Amino acid sequence: MSSPVAIVDRPRLAVHRRPLPWLAVAAARLLMRRSPARIRTVLELLRRGARPATPEEAARSRAEVVAVSVSCAGEGCVQRSLATTLLCRLRGHWPTWCSGVRVVPFLAHAWVEVDDEPVDEPYPRGYHTTLIRVPPRERS
């Protein structure tokens, strides 16, 4: 899975704001090594009790993850999207985590959405066919 995100665009993050993003990146690194079915199951459990994220909250979490991790700033879309989702969850909100493909030319990708719009992604909505989607849980 790849994404045309340039490493030179990494924002700087104050030292006191790095621990939570680092924790999310480390947890994402462990989770991304699991099967897609296991990833979905874990995310479905973690989203419980979280409110839907706003576009600003998801963008902030994504920027912080990119700031603390070279792999998330580069072509690590699975780790970046999972870390963004986990960081949002640590803050009490939940974006929609997505994974999908484009057939011609073939490209697998993972990303985060809010209100059916990709958050800070170089690809427009609908560029990929979504295969796995873990949205915020419906409130009952």
Side-chain angles (χ1 to χ4, degrees), residues 11 13 17 20-21 24-25 53-68 72 80-81 83-91 93 95 112 119-120:
L13 195 60
R17 292 183 51 209
L20 275 182
V25 167
T54 66
E56 295 78 18
E57 290 167 337
R60 174 182 166 214
S61 292
R62 186 184 192 280
E64 290 177 3
V65 162
V66 167
V68 300
C72 290
R80 178 177 54 249
S81 63
T84 299
T85 301
L86 296 173
L87 184 55
C88 283
R89 181 60 187 104
L90 287 169
R91 293 179 172 146
H93 45 268
V112 169
V119 175
D120 292 343

Side-chain angles (χ1 to χ4, degrees), residues 7-101:
I7 292 176
V8 294
D9 293 340
R10 285 179 63 203
R12 305 277 300 166
L13 195 60
V15 175
H16 71 278
R17 292 183 51 209
R18 294 180 190 169
L20 275 182
W22 273 333
L23 178 63
V25 167
R29 179 178 221 92
L30 295 173
L31 184 57
M32 69 185 256
R33 295 180 179 161
R34 305 293 178 240
S35 70
R38 176 65 66 175
I39 291 171
R40 177 196 299 239
T41 300
V42 169
L43 293 179
E44 286 174 346
L45 289 171
L46 291 175
R47 71 182 177 177
R48 292 180 181 176
R51 65 169 177 73
T54 66
E56 295 78 18
E57 290 167 337
R60 174 182 166 214
S61 292
R62 186 184 192 280
E64 290 177 3
V65 162
V66 167
V68 300
S69 171
V70 172
S71 60
C72 290
E75 301 209 1
C77 63
V78 174
Q79 187 177 8
R80 178 177 54 249
S81 63
L82 287 170
T84 299
T85 301
L86 296 173
L87 184 55
C88 283
R89 181 60 187 104
L90 287 169
R91 293 179 172 146
H93 45 268
W94 190 266
T96 298
W97 182 82
C98 301
S99 179
V101 297

